[in-house]
Amino acid sequence: SINKALADMALLGGGSKLKTLVLCGDDMTTCESNSDVLKEKDNIGQVVNVGCPMMKDFNQFGERARYILDSCVDHLVKTINMSLERDGLFNIIIIDSTADSFIASAFLKMMKIEEDKYDVLEKGKFIILSAMADKSDEWRGNFLKSFKEKVVTSDPSVY
């Protein structure tokens, strides 16, 4: 399965007790179930599932779309910052199969807002993963490319 592959790829991060951020879609129950496979890995210390409940049934053409997307960005900032203050930097970011392009774009916007990406990611020790199941998931490759070009511009990467 995609989630098993993501869990195996997470081992490439190296080191021990890696902290993982899983970006979830509006189905948090499925996302949490998907991330359970990560918790079975010896070198994964903590898994933090984040999502935006306000994005359920999101309509990009609705008159409140910008407000909802901005609320999602604010929610991600607050949730991720609470985890950072409590438990330190992330080594792995996984875009779960439940995530959609809208939540991914909110996450990308949040990371671009950060003054220093190394306030979120451990410098030289992080990996970001997303799997494409079929052609409809092409946005995931585009997201990874945008993440490289707009967030981690000076770090080596493959996408």
Side-chain angles (χ1 to χ4, degrees):
S1 80
I2 291 172
N3 295 311
K4 173 82 170 96
L6 286 172
D8 289 341
M9 288 178 5
L11 296 174
L12 299 175
S16 61
K17 301 300 178 196
L18 303 173
K19 184 175 176 190
T20 303
L21 173 77
V22 179
L23 186 63
C24 301
D26 59 13
D27 184 355
M28 286 299 289
T29 304
T30 300
C31 184
E32 289 169 358
S33 174
N34 290 345
S35 66
D36 282 346
V37 77
L38 292 167
K39 296 172 185 169
E40 298 169 7
K41 300 296 181 185
D42 291 337
N43 66 338
I44 303 293
Q46 183 180 14
V47 177
V48 178
N49 296 305
V50 296
C52 288
M54 69 284 296
M55 296 291 285
K56 187 159 179 67
D57 303 321
F58 179 71
N59 176 0
Q60 68 180 354
F61 303 110
E63 57 185 65
R64 293 180 34 105
R66 178 172 290 300
Y67 170 78
I68 293 169
L69 200 54
D70 288 345
S71 294
C72 177
V73 172
D74 291 343
H75 178 75
L76 291 173
V77 168
K78 288 177 190 162
T79 304
I80 291 170
N81 281 340
M82 281 190 331
S83 178
L84 291 168
E85 289 171 14
R86 202 174 46 241
D87 303 306
L89 301 174
F90 290 98
N91 305 102
I92 303 170
I93 298 172
I94 296 177
I95 310 304
D96 187 68
S97 60
T98 62
D100 62 24
S101 60
F102 301 116
I103 186 131
S105 70
F107 178 74
L108 184 63
K109 185 175 181 180
M110 183 218 75
M111 288 299 294
K112 289 192 303 187
I113 290 170
E114 288 293 323
E115 292 178 29
D116 185 354
K117 66 185 172 275
Y118 299 118
D119 288 341
V120 176
L121 304 167
E122 188 170 348
K123 187 171 185 159
K125 289 187 166 187
F126 72 90
I127 185 170
I128 181 166
L129 307 166
S130 183
M132 292 177 25
D134 58 39
K135 195 77 168 154
S136 69
D137 281 341
E138 194 172 288
W139 66 266
R140 292 173 181 275
N142 294 334
F143 167 79
L144 293 175
K145 184 176 181 183
S146 291
F147 195 87
K148 163 61 181 154
E149 292 173 352
K150 297 176 181 174
V151 178
V152 291
T153 55
S154 62
D155 295 307
S157 64
V158 176
Y159 51 86

